[in-house]
Amino acid sequence: MTSITPPPCPDCSTATERIDIEGEEVWRCSAPDCTRRTYATGDPDDDDCLPGYSETGEHGAVICFHGTGEIGVEATAELADQDVPTDRDDESDAAGPTPGGWEPQVHDVRVKDLAAALTGAWVWIYGDPEGWRYFTDAAYDPDHDTTVTITYSDGEVVKENPWPMARMVHADPETIPTASRPGPAGLVKR
């Protein structure tokens, strides 16, 4: 019998453990704070084909993940929105976490990735002195234009280079993030 040495995690280099997903051999990072999964083929593009999954967090909230282990922000937010009561009497300034304990998170993304957002979101493009701005649409078609066209909620349309990093939060346009780095968004009412 041959022994298989677990490959290292592509993100944090911790040893992985073998799991079966829909009949396929997949490797999952064994670090408690890393959710990365990989086919361990050596080609990172192969991992883009990993099937998505969901898990229940410690507070009972369902968190959706892309196959690689990255949080599926849109899908998770959509599930959380389904649990939000419509008759809130809370008049405080803090928007706070949604029911189930899930709070929108700040994620680092490339500007070109804004076009993948299914709905609007808060964005802060690195180097932009205006800080957090809510965008309603972003379009990127590298075959026809080399820039990302972003439409902000105030109607301003801006063309941006697709490669700089940005911070993004999927949250209600009536709230605004207070965080300045990845992690809980710290939303407050506008």
Side-chain angles (χ1 to χ4, degrees):
M1 177 173 198
T2 60
S3 110
I4 297 175
T5 303
C9 172
D11 289 347
C12 70
S13 299
T14 302
T16 57
E17 56 192 15
R18 185 181 179 275
I19 59 173
D20 286 318
I21 305 287
E22 299 175 7
E24 293 185 290
E25 181 179 272
V26 175
W27 298 89
R28 174 180 60 201
C29 183
S30 60
D33 59 343
C34 182
T35 57
R36 183 70 157 93
R37 292 181 175 193
T38 182
Y39 280 127
T41 62
D43 183 353
D45 292 337
D46 288 347
D47 291 346
D48 292 338
C49 300
L50 283 161
Y53 63 99
S54 63
E55 293 180 357
T56 302
E58 64 184 57
H59 298 290
V62 176
I63 302 170
C64 300
F65 294 89
H66 296 288
T68 57
E70 180 181 334
I71 293 177
V73 178
E74 296 91 2
T76 302
E78 187 173 314
L79 282 176
D81 286 345
Q82 293 172 2
D83 294 334
V84 175
T86 56
D87 55 342
R88 291 184 64 184
D89 292 332
D90 182 11
E91 295 298 324
S92 69
D93 280 346
T98 59
W102 185 83
E103 179 178 349
Q105 300 286 307
V106 176
H107 294 278
D108 280 330
V109 297
R110 293 258 180 223
V111 170
K112 70 183 185 81
D113 297 332
L114 301 178
L118 299 177
T119 59
W122 285 97
V123 66
W124 186 346
I125 299 171
Y126 287 2
D128 186 348
E130 293 198 42
W132 289 108
R133 297 181 73 188
Y134 194 83
F135 74 93
T136 56
D137 187 51
Y140 177 58
D141 183 358
D143 295 331
H144 295 98
D145 189 0
T146 59
T147 60
V148 179
T149 303
I150 302 171
T151 305
Y152 291 102
S153 60
D154 62 4
E156 181 180 5
V157 177
V158 178
K159 290 194 176 252
E160 295 280 355
N161 182 316
W163 302 112
M165 292 299 290
R167 299 232 159 105
M168 183 174 78
V169 175
H170 279 276
D172 189 301
E174 298 305 313
T175 61
I176 188 166
T178 61
S180 60
R181 60 183 183 200
L187 300 173
V188 294
K189 290 184 182 179
R190 291 192 349 162

